[in-house]
Amino acid sequence: MLRIKWKCTKLPSTAPVSEVPKPKVENGESKEIEEIKLSVCSVDLLSSKEGQNRKEHHTDQYHGDGLIIRRGQRFNVELELNRAYNADTDKLHLDLKTGPLPMVSKSTHVIIPLVQQPKDGHWEAKIIEQNGNKIKLSVNSPPKAVIGLYGLSVVTNPLKGEGSTTYNSAKNITLLFNPWCEDDPVFLDDEEQRKEYVLNDTGRLYYGTEKQIGARTWNFGQFHEGMLDACLFILEKSDMPPSGRGDPVNVVRVISAMINAQDDFGVLVGNWSGDYTDGVSPSAWSSSVEILRKYHSTNGTPVSYGQCWVFSGITTTVLRCLGIPARSVTNFQSAHDTDVSLTTDVYFDEDLDPIDYLNSDSVWNFHVWNDCWMARPDLPPGHGGWQAVDATPQETSQGTFCCGPASVNAIRCGHVYLKHDAPFVFAEVNSDKIYWQRNRDGTFSQFHMEKKAVGHQISTKAVGSDERADITHLYKHPEGSEEERIAVETASRYGSKPEVYAVPMAEDVSVEVLMEGEGPRMGADAQLNIVVTNMSSEPRQTTLHSQAAVMYYTGVLKGALKKEQIAVELLPNEVKTIKWLLPYQQYQDQLVDQAALMLTLSGRVTETKQVLANQTTFRLRMPDLNITVGFYFMHLNESKITFTNPLPRTLKNVVFRVEGLGLQKGHEVVVGFTMSAEQKMIIYSVADECRNVTNDFDSFKMHKQND
């Protein structure tokens, strides 16, 4: 059965602790204690691998005696003071600093105050335990805080008077990305995938040909001794300022540049010559650990040598070590486009002999790069999730040998205008191979095209096993399908040779998606109107390919719910409205927070070859909570809240979280009975005084759990 919770505000991740009692002192001792200036004797970061901090933050496998934690999640520290802390006379705060020039304005110098009720998303601390001269603090960190190595200081001073004291902790704090925190852009909503793509320290890399796929075991070793220090060292060696380390897009782009040594003295020197006498053959490596240790121990001297699978293995290690979900990916028959044409071009002379100096494009038997997982708020919705990143130095991007992160969904759809480096990755997996012959006047004519030459058997290690998983469908539509051809032609418009494909004779058909009223309602079939307009005086025909997918509010797509093809015939100047329906049964158990979905449409007009495309995001409207202000007596005000079950199924374990201005106490109202379909429920809440009562519908979330 289905369980649903309704709540108005996001609650702290741990239950609030009752207020810490102030220390009791005898009258004769009070003045003497107040005259003793408060200072810190010691700081315990509670950094033991077996302790609560490391266990709860999934960092217990890292080596090191410092505190290693993930952002957006609470952690505890203990302070030993020279006397008991008194909130009436003492003031205390924590200082965290990272980078060579910490600045509050750059979020690299963080001042953490003591508060009564910490708020999620802020640097704040609260006393949760006090025993004599010792206090335990619970500390919040924001989910987009700068990651890296922080030094910790504790500053104390009296509320009245001057003179502060500072205690510097001997141990540092390392803050990492947090795939377990739903407000962190790298949040991955699947525990088995987090175990695979963050915590698994071994894997499989694939090589060979599409018909003879080989696999080698690779030791990523992100938790080995010295690996975290080496990964942080790589960030320090880059030109990225510490303030930029809060954004995983920036971090991944820098990592893709720093893993190769081509132009910035990065980790690994690439060598495809076959001569490795002054280094190690790329085939000899089977682990990232030795390479990263050598690079770190020599203060950043590039290690020799590597090829694509070694670059990919090291990238997986570094990204997982920093907390970004990552995997190594192999593309068989992988194209290398050198002129941004988004085609793989082969040139022949008048006698059909190859022109070697023009044939710079190539197709590799295989090429290995990486996928990493993150939201992409810098791109349109629907382009979060897996992002391609390639550390092998092939072509420069904005003057540097790096590649990505490029949205895999954008590559699949041919949206190569979206950053970063989508054209290059698109060509690797889905470019057509074009054959050109030189004419007598020196120009070239196309005489043959291979549409299925590249991008086969795209492979990665399966989650939870050593089997190979084929993920070609994530990078491209089925080979030869109309959707795949539309993606190719859409991409080619942004390449250096758009004339390769037929230009539409006219663009006189439009498609848009409209909602009726306030839009689809939770619990009912979702209906949208697809409006197709023929602006010509001739009839038009097209087939629309539609896909509906669940989407997180961050723009990451969870999965497809419905796919169909819609044949459309238009009379001259006709406007046709098509009713599109998503039945409740198809989405009832698939939604995530905010109940957002995306409808994607694509098609081609038969007569003109015009490409049609549209993406529309929408959400299922939650039911209203009706709030009525009741009687007012003895400074108390009663409000009545009415809710009707919107779903055509019985709800169990319904919980209301009631909170607002003037309420005596924020509280939960647990309904002690099941609610059948369309059943109405009324609850009452008492406030200290009559205040404004508001109903912010968007703050309600529906959580589904199996009985």
Side-chain angles (χ1 to χ4, degrees):
M1 296 300 295
L2 184 72
R3 297 179 183 172
I4 294 181
K5 288 187 179 180
W6 293 85
K7 54 184 182 180
C8 294
T9 57
K10 184 176 181 181
L11 296 178
S13 58
T14 57
V17 179
S18 57
E19 185 176 350
V20 178
K22 299 175 183 176
K24 296 181 180 180
V25 295
E26 299 297 330
N27 292 337
E29 299 176 357
S30 176
K31 185 175 181 181
E32 180 181 350
I33 291 178
E34 289 178 2
E35 290 177 351
I36 301 175
K37 183 183 293 185
L38 184 70
S39 62
V40 177
C41 299
S42 65
V43 173
D44 186 351
L45 296 181
L46 305 176
S47 57
S48 166
K49 294 174 65 173
E50 294 76 27
Q52 178 182 357
N53 281 335
R54 297 280 291 271
K55 289 287 187 182
E56 290 183 352
H57 285 250
H58 305 91
T59 59
D60 50 307
Q61 296 184 65
Y62 289 93
H63 284 266
D65 58 357
L67 177 58
I68 305 168
I69 53 174
R70 301 187 187 274
R71 65 186 191 176
Q73 189 172 338
R74 293 181 178 180
F75 62 95
N76 298 332
V77 298
E78 284 186 352
L79 309 180
E80 183 177 1
L81 309 172
N82 62 328
R83 61 168 173 80
Y85 174 80
N86 187 336
D88 292 333
T89 60
D90 300 322
K91 187 176 181 181
L92 179 151
H93 73 264
L94 307 181
D95 257 3
L96 287 177
K97 297 179 180 180
T98 186
L101 188 62
M103 298 175 64
V104 173
S105 61
K106 300 291 186 181
S107 300
T108 53
H109 176 192
V110 179
I111 300 172
I112 307 175
L114 286 185
V115 298
Q116 287 295 318
Q117 290 297 333
K119 298 178 182 178
D120 287 335
H122 297 78
W123 281 110
E124 291 179 334
K126 177 185 178 180
I127 298 176
I128 57 172
E129 230 175 78
Q130 183 163 355
N131 184 13
N133 292 1
K134 291 186 177 181
I135 58 174
K136 179 184 282 190
L137 305 181
S138 174
V139 185
N140 277 0
S141 67
K144 297 182 181 179
V146 170
I147 63 116
L149 189 67
Y150 285 84
L152 171 66
S153 301
V154 184
V155 181
T156 58
N157 55 280
L159 286 177
K160 298 178 182 179
E162 299 180 356
S164 62
T165 61
T166 300
Y167 181 91
N168 297 317
S169 172
K171 294 183 179 180
N172 293 320
I173 295 177
T174 302
L175 191 66
L176 305 175
F177 291 104
N178 193 351
W180 285 266
C181 173
E182 64 182 60
D183 292 322
D184 192 313
V186 304
F187 171 64
L188 181 58
D189 190 17
D190 186 301
E191 181 59 25
E192 292 306 309
Q193 290 189 23
R194 289 192 291 251
K195 289 178 181 177
E196 180 68 49
Y197 299 134
V198 182
L199 301 181
N200 194 351
D201 55 4
T202 61
R204 307 270 278 178
L205 306 182
Y206 297 95
Y207 64 96
T209 67
E210 60 177 306
K211 295 183 179 180
Q212 295 174 304
I213 297 177
R216 64 166 63 214
T217 299
W218 192 269
N219 176 26
F220 298 123
Q222 67 267 32
F223 302 120
H224 281 224
E225 187 174 2
M227 288 302 96
L228 180 56
D229 291 338
C231 294
L232 295 175
F233 174 74
I234 292 171
L235 289 181
E236 292 170 7
K237 286 280 288 184
S238 73
D239 292 331
M240 180 176 61
S243 58
R245 298 178 191 167
D247 183 356
V249 175
N250 289 342
V251 171
V252 165
R253 190 154 174 79
V254 166
I255 292 300
S256 77
M258 288 298 299
I259 297 303
N260 69 74
Q262 195 77 6
D263 48 18
D264 46 20
F265 296 99
V267 175
L268 191 65
V269 179
N271 186 341
W272 288 263
S273 70
D275 180 6
Y276 315 117
T277 53
D278 57 343
V280 176
S281 168
S283 298
W285 302 112
S286 60
S287 169
S288 305
V289 175
E290 183 181 351
I291 297 170
L292 288 170
R293 277 183 180 159
K294 189 172 183 179
Y295 181 73
H296 187 205
S297 64
T298 58
N299 197 33
T301 300
V303 179
S304 299
Y305 290 106
Q307 292 181 6
C308 64
W309 65 91
V310 189
F311 288 108
S312 174
I314 297 172
T315 301
T316 298
T317 299
V318 175
L319 294 183
R320 289 186 184 181
C321 187
L322 297 177
I324 299 175
R327 62 190 184 189
S328 291
V329 172
T330 301
N331 177 39
F332 292 94
Q333 293 298 100
S334 187
H336 181 173
D337 175 26
T338 59
D339 60 358
V340 202
S341 65
L342 280 76
T343 56
T344 304
D345 301 299
V346 185
Y347 294 94
F348 298 86
D349 64 15
E350 296 85 346
D351 300 320
L352 290 181
D353 291 324
I355 305 175
D356 293 337
Y357 71 90
L358 289 181
N359 290 329
S360 55
D361 288 355
S362 59
V363 178
W364 300 15
N365 284 344
F366 72 95
H367 180 48
V368 190
W369 63 73
N370 295 84
D371 282 346
C372 58
W373 181 275
M374 66 184 68
R376 288 299 299 271
D378 57 325
L379 301 182
H383 292 97
W386 288 116
Q387 313 289 313
V389 56
D390 192 347
T392 301
Q394 297 180 88
E395 299 293 328
T396 59
S397 172
Q398 297 176 322
T400 302
F401 279 95
C402 65
C403 181
S407 166
V408 171
N409 193 54
I411 294 161
R412 186 173 188 261
C413 298
H415 298 165
V416 297
Y417 48 85
L418 298 175
K419 58 184 182 182
H420 295 277
D421 307 311
F424 185 80
V425 182
F426 179 89
E428 288 183 300
V429 301
N430 208 12
S431 59
D432 288 339
K433 196 170 185 178
I434 311 294
Y435 294 80
W436 303 87
Q437 183 178 18
R438 187 167 60 195
N439 301 316
R440 297 299 176 184
D441 61 0
T443 60
F444 285 86
S445 297
Q446 174 184 331
F447 71 90
H448 182 59
M449 175 188 293
E450 289 185 56
K451 298 181 179 180
K452 302 178 182 180
V454 306
H456 302 162
Q457 305 280 8
I458 303 176
S459 304
T460 191
K461 177 186 171 301
V463 173
S465 79
D466 285 334
E467 298 299 314
R468 182 184 69 88
D470 192 308
I471 58 171
T472 308
H473 64 285
L474 298 181
Y475 275 87
K476 56 198 296 188
H477 292 285
E479 200 76 74
S481 67
E482 186 175 33
E483 294 162 291
E484 185 261 346
R485 287 290 89 197
I486 289 172
V488 170
E489 294 179 25
T490 299
S492 72
R493 296 180 184 179
Y494 301 92
S496 61
K497 296 178 181 175
E499 71 280 357
V500 167
Y501 300 95
V503 178
M505 292 181 288
E507 295 188 349
D508 48 24
V509 177
S510 66
V511 60
E512 61 178 333
V513 178
L514 303 176
M515 289 187 296
E516 294 181 355
E518 296 181 339
R521 181 175 62 87
M522 173 69 72
D525 296 344
Q527 180 175 302
L528 300 174
N529 293 327
I530 301 173
V531 180
V532 188
T533 303
N534 180 8
M535 295 171 283
S536 78
S537 57
E538 301 291 334
R540 296 287 185 252
Q541 295 183 37
T542 186
T543 297
L544 291 177
H545 303 267
S546 73
Q547 174 183 289
V550 174
M551 187 175 72
Y552 293 93
Y553 76 94
T554 57
V556 175
L557 295 179
K558 179 187 177 187
L561 295 177
K562 178 184 179 182
K563 293 183 178 181
E564 64 177 337
Q565 296 183 7
I566 307 169
V568 183
E569 295 187 2
L570 299 168
L571 298 174
N573 298 305
E574 182 182 7
V575 178
K576 178 169 286 188
T577 300
I578 302 164
K579 300 291 185 183
W580 179 86
L581 197 71
L582 178 65
Y584 167 74
Q585 288 74 17
Q586 285 190 249
Y587 73 73
Q588 61 179 349
D589 296 321
Q590 304 298 322
L591 298 178
V592 294
D593 288 351
Q594 313 300 326
L597 300 106
M598 172 177 281
L599 174 62
T600 300
L601 301 172
S602 64
R604 188 199 309 275
V605 179
T606 303
E607 294 80 5
T608 65
K609 307 306 178 186
Q610 176 191 352
V611 172
L612 304 175
N614 179 280
Q615 284 190 320
T616 300
T617 59
F618 64 98
R619 67 181 179 88
L620 300 172
R621 186 167 58 86
M622 298 294 188
D624 295 326
L625 294 181
N626 297 316
I627 302 176
T628 305
V629 178
F631 63 84
Y632 182 70
F633 178 71
M634 295 294 290
H635 302 290
L636 294 177
N637 182 72
E638 183 181 78
S639 297
K640 180 173 71 175
I641 303 174
T642 306
F643 165 70
T644 301
N645 175 16
L647 304 183
R649 61 196 300 179
T650 300
L651 305 183
K652 291 183 178 181
N653 301 322
V654 178
V655 176
F656 282 84
R657 302 194 187 279
V658 183
E659 188 172 334
L661 296 175
L663 288 179
Q664 289 179 330
K665 183 181 180 182
H667 58 283
E668 290 186 354
V669 179
V670 179
V671 180
F673 53 87
T674 60
M675 293 185 66
S676 59
E678 303 301 324
Q679 180 178 349
K680 181 181 291 187
M681 180 178 63
I682 300 174
I683 63 174
Y684 294 90
S685 178
V686 179
D688 294 328
E689 55 180 312
C690 188
R691 304 286 293 276
N692 289 336
V693 180
T694 61
N695 178 10
D696 180 4
F697 178 73
D698 284 334
S699 68
F700 289 84
K701 295 182 180 178
M702 187 172 283
H703 298 282
K704 303 185 301 256
Q705 301 173 348
N706 293 325
D707 284 339

